[in-house]
Amino acid sequence: QGPLRRAHRPAAAHRANKGDLFTPEEDRILVCLCHQYDLMGQWDELKVAVRRCPLCRFDYMLKSRSAEELRRRMETLTRQLVKERDQEIARTAARTAAAAASAKSAPAPADRPTATGRPVVAKGSTGAPSAAGRKHRPE
């Protein structure tokens, strides 16, 4: 499936006039056509692309939109997409900062006591004093 089928539509505030609404499918088509053919700002070309798009074959409402209506709708969708992207970036940054803060405040593994109350032994160590640190005991 192509991006027109799986694209996420932003939570759009549609216009109040009932006859002037764009459907979520039309929004996806407009965003994808603008991106695919790099038509942002070229509204007359976008209108031609909409008329030639096979997905719009039977969508008379979208095919009959003026270049000005398409411009207004794309500007609204662009603002909403940028806002959603900025919110996602802020959420990601907050999660990263929280993870970094919790990593700094967590004690090192050797300092953390286990359930038995003994300190954690470093990997590869037996927990016994080294040969250099042992006192000689006569046997």
Side-chain angles (χ1 to χ4, degrees):
Q1 289 185 353
L4 290 176
R5 303 259 186 255
R6 65 175 187 261
H8 168 70
R9 185 186 66 82
H14 292 290
R15 295 187 193 145
N17 300 337
K18 290 291 182 194
D20 210 13
L21 293 178
F22 284 83
T23 65
E25 180 74 14
E26 291 169 342
D27 287 345
R28 279 191 291 272
I29 290 170
L30 289 175
V31 169
C32 290
L33 286 175
C34 271
H35 177 73
Q36 183 178 4
Y37 297 114
D38 196 23
L39 296 175
M40 198 64 177
Q42 302 171 14
W43 310 117
D44 289 323
E45 288 85 358
L46 177 60
K47 183 178 177 179
V48 171
V50 166
R51 288 185 177 178
R52 291 182 178 164
C53 180
L55 294 173
C56 303
R57 175 192 256 169
F58 300 112
D59 190 349
Y60 178 75
M61 286 302 293
L62 185 58
K63 288 172 80 170
S64 67
R65 302 288 181 163
S66 70
E68 182 64 23
E69 289 174 309
L70 296 175
R71 178 191 65 81
R72 282 194 308 256
R73 187 61 186 164
M74 279 307 302
E75 287 175 353
T76 301
L77 290 172
T78 302
R79 277 193 305 272
Q80 291 169 347
L81 289 169
V82 167
K83 184 178 177 182
E84 282 186 6
R85 184 199 64 200
D86 291 345
Q87 289 172 347
E88 183 61 31
I89 289 171
R91 280 193 298 270
T92 303
R95 275 189 249 125
T96 304
S102 68
K104 282 184 179 180
S105 65
D111 299 340
R112 205 173 346 139
T114 61
T116 62
R118 297 182 190 155
V120 175
V121 177
K123 215 176 211 183
S125 171
T126 60
S130 66
R134 277 191 245 148
K135 292 186 180 179
H136 178 66
R137 288 189 222 163
E139 292 182 21

